[in-house]
Amino acid sequence: MDLAAAILLILLNLASWYTCSDSRLLVKMTLVHNASKIGGFCLDGSLPAYHLHRGFGAGARNWLLQFEGGGWCNDIQSCLERAQTRRGSTLYMNKLEDFNGILSNNASLNPDFYNWNRVKLRYCDGGSFSGDAKFDNGTSVLYFRGKKIWEAIILDLLPQGLMHARKALLSGCSAGGLSSFLHCENFARILPRNTSVKCLSDAGFFMDERDITLNHTMRNFFENLVSLQGIEENLNKNCTSFLDNPKLCMFPQYFLRYITAPFFILNTAYDVYQFHHALVPPTADTRGHWNRCKLSIDSCNTRQLDILQDFRQDMLLALRSFHIYSRRGGMFINSCFAHCQSESQDTWFGRDSPQIYRKTIAEAVGDCVAHCIGMFPTWER
């Protein structure tokens, strides 16, 4: 055994966490062995997993669950490819996960959640933890069992203290942020009535927006995703019964009104992922006119800036009802060109972190968890 392998072996056999010389918090993976009993498998059939770092002191009975992000697969070929990567199999995942930002255990870097029980739910189903189907053509097998994975992880965590939680926050980034929207109500129903349950979505407010060629690129993508992975039955019933096209209930803008648990939305109005994949997908810019603009906002021409500004306005319009009528939630919508801001220390809580009304993201989210009634943080004017 060489030195590198020996060091890795030592790390894997440490207790629940290990602090490196650079002060990183590395948390070991826990496989959910009982997931097989309810059919909760990753795309390739491997067991799902999470990383848990125990809380302490005043936070010992508080829980933060963070859905991992990582896009989606909406056809058989892309899912087969994904199943051979860390996005579709725990076999390829790092067994130690770096906890920072909202998952940090450093009080000076994460003042509201540093001593909570913090859990990162690994993402391996490609459907925002929401599918319930299986593909088997006799040669290849794919498990679209995101909903079962979610249920299996919750069943594993409940007897470890989650069932006695005093406070609980369900969060997630990107595809994980969408998961937080999709599972918020379910999470609130699972926990005891005396548990204070709230939800946070970071970069998960994906828009049903036409691209620059006026095609519904993101809508078509989500429709195929819902059909392939058997997600429709797991979408919000109030939403699916209201819309003529129930698959659109994969978009938060259509079912946000039906979420009754206190909710905090963290997003940039110029979300980079949506900019690159929904507003200006490669299929809509085959000649690469937007390439320089995508690399740097300073390289965008006047027309491109106008289109980006229109996208920002559409997002604010989609959030307007929540902003006006929600008495149990809040928002932090800034104008950075970014995607996911809660998992990076620079944007979460730091000297140069984004601020609205002199509040950093961490402070705004912390205020919401403490109160979240008629919250003030909204968007940059």
Side-chain angles (χ1 to χ4, degrees):
M1 180 182 296
D2 60 25
L3 179 59
I7 292 173
L8 179 59
L9 182 61
I10 292 172
L11 289 174
L12 291 175
N13 284 282
L14 284 174
S16 65
W17 61 277
Y18 174 82
T19 304
C20 295
S21 59
D22 60 358
S23 299
R24 289 191 303 160
L25 175 64
L26 299 180
V27 182
K28 75 174 183 178
M29 174 187 286
T30 299
L31 290 175
V32 187
H33 293 286
N34 288 333
S36 58
K37 294 181 180 179
I38 63 172
F41 300 109
C42 297
L43 284 172
D44 69 333
S46 60
L47 291 172
Y50 61 83
H51 301 254
L52 165 63
H53 187 256
R54 284 289 183 179
F56 58 91
R61 289 187 56 196
N62 298 336
W63 287 75
L64 165 62
L65 275 61
Q66 174 87 347
F67 285 114
E68 183 179 28
W72 311 269
C73 62
N74 72 338
D75 57 52
I76 296 302
Q77 185 56 42
S78 64
C79 290
L80 286 171
E81 294 171 359
R82 189 181 181 99
Q84 300 178 54
T85 72
R86 67 185 179 91
R87 297 301 187 193
S89 171
T90 49
L91 299 177
Y92 302 104
M93 291 180 182
N94 293 329
K95 302 307 183 284
L96 295 171
E97 187 68 7
D98 191 358
F99 273 31
N100 51 52
I102 195 172
L103 296 176
S104 172
N105 68 332
N106 188 324
S108 65
L109 301 177
N110 188 27
D112 289 285
F113 307 109
Y114 73 97
N115 60 353
W116 286 33
N117 297 284
R118 299 171 323 286
V119 189
K120 185 156 192 175
L121 284 61
R122 298 308 297 267
Y123 183 35
C124 65
D125 63 278
S128 282
F129 292 84
S130 296
D132 193 2
K134 179 181 176 180
F135 169 79
D136 186 350
N137 65 357
T139 303
S140 302
V141 178
L142 288 169
Y143 295 90
F144 303 119
R145 295 289 173 77
K147 183 172 182 290
K148 296 295 185 182
I149 290 173
W150 159 248
E151 292 171 355
I153 292 176
I154 290 296
L155 288 173
D156 209 56
L157 292 174
L158 283 171
Q160 297 190 57
L162 180 60
M163 68 172 62
H164 302 298
R166 187 170 62 89
K167 296 180 182 179
L169 176 65
L170 183 66
S171 66
C173 162
S174 191
L178 178 57
S179 300
S180 188
F181 276 116
L182 294 168
H183 290 294
C184 183
E185 290 291 274
N186 174 255
F187 187 57
R189 285 194 297 267
I190 289 170
L191 297 182
R193 288 191 175 185
N194 62 349
T195 303
S196 175
V197 179
K198 296 174 182 177
C199 303
L200 161 69
S201 173
D202 176 8
F205 195 79
F206 293 96
M207 295 277 292
D208 180 21
E209 184 84 355
R210 290 179 184 269
D211 64 31
I212 56 172
T213 59
L214 302 183
N215 288 318
H216 283 289
T217 297
M218 201 66 186
R219 178 187 292 189
N220 294 336
F221 185 93
F222 270 5
E223 286 178 337
N224 291 335
L225 172 64
V226 170
S227 297
L228 175 69
Q229 297 217 20
I231 294 175
E232 185 172 330
E233 288 301 311
N234 301 322
L235 297 175
N236 185 284
K237 297 295 188 294
N238 291 317
C239 180
T240 56
S241 63
F242 178 76
L243 295 183
D244 292 335
N245 182 358
K247 293 183 177 66
L248 293 183
C249 294
M250 193 73 177
F251 288 100
Q253 68 197 84
Y254 297 122
F255 68 86
L256 178 59
R257 70 180 74 176
Y258 303 114
I259 297 178
T260 59
F263 209 103
F264 194 92
I265 300 172
L266 166 61
N267 233 97
T268 73
Y270 301 105
D271 184 87
V272 169
Y273 181 91
Q274 295 192 63
F275 173 19
H276 290 186
H277 298 278
L279 182 62
V280 192
T283 54
D285 185 35
T286 56
R287 297 188 178 183
H289 295 306
W290 282 76
N291 287 351
R292 293 181 61 199
C293 179
K294 284 182 175 182
L295 289 174
S296 171
I297 185 65
D298 293 331
S299 299
C300 300
N301 60 40
T302 301
R303 176 178 170 276
Q304 291 169 334
L305 290 174
D306 287 342
I307 291 173
L308 287 171
Q309 183 66 10
D310 287 343
F311 178 81
R312 175 183 183 274
Q313 292 301 323
D314 288 346
M315 177 172 284
L316 299 186
L317 181 62
L319 288 166
R320 183 172 175 79
S321 293
F322 180 77
H323 169 52
I324 294 175
Y325 299 113
S326 175
R327 292 295 178 266
R328 297 170 59 81
M331 293 187 294
F332 192 107
I333 311 298
N334 59 4
S335 298
C336 298
F337 279 78
H339 183 65
C340 291
Q341 300 177 90
S342 63
E343 296 180 339
S344 170
Q345 198 60 59
D346 290 342
T347 49
W348 174 246
F349 190 66
R351 182 177 299 176
D352 298 322
S353 296
Q355 295 187 22
I356 298 179
Y357 300 140
R358 297 185 179 179
K359 291 277 187 178
T360 64
I361 294 170
E363 290 169 328
V365 173
D367 285 350
C368 184
V369 170
H371 308 290
C372 225
I373 299 176
M375 283 296 295
F376 58 84
T378 55
W379 52 67
E380 293 178 338
R381 300 296 178 182

